[in-house]
Amino acid sequence: MSHLPLPRAAGTCACVAAPPDGTDEPDGADGRFGPTHALILLIAFLALGCTLFLAGTELSTVLALLGGCGAIGAATLTAARGGRRLMTVLVETAVRSGAGK
């Protein structure tokens, strides 16, 4: 495959042009968590879990590790989206279950 330079008009930039709405981000880079991201994370979690198990790690340890990583990821996404109410409910539930109530 050859890498020939593409012809372009004089004075134009080879970088991505700014969108017409005046924002700095191009279309598709709005930072939303979509189904593609979820699928990639699911595959990564399955691969990590299988790799750890095949390397000789106990199943309970693998599940605890993946559960902790998932909880941290969910908390990060919730906090980034501004879900303070949901975060409050989750923290209260975790504290109550830890206290045995």
Side-chain angles (χ1 to χ4, degrees), residues 26-38:
D27 291 338
D30 54 0
R32 295 185 186 190
F33 185 77
T36 305
H37 299 101

Side-chain angles (χ1 to χ4, degrees), residues 10-94:
T12 60
C13 178
C15 60
V16 178
D21 60 357
T23 60
D24 291 336
E25 295 182 0
D27 291 338
D30 54 0
R32 295 185 186 190
F33 185 77
T36 305
H37 299 101
L39 179 63
I40 290 170
L41 286 175
L42 176 66
I43 292 170
F45 265 59
L46 290 174
L48 177 64
C50 290
T51 304
L52 288 172
F53 183 72
L54 292 175
T57 308
E58 293 182 21
L59 184 60
S60 61
T61 305
V62 172
L63 293 177
L65 175 67
L66 294 180
C69 290
I72 291 170
T76 303
L77 283 175
T78 303
R81 290 184 177 179
R84 292 182 182 172
R85 183 175 175 189
L86 179 59
M87 284 291 286
T88 304
V89 170
L90 290 175
V91 170
E92 285 179 5
T93 304

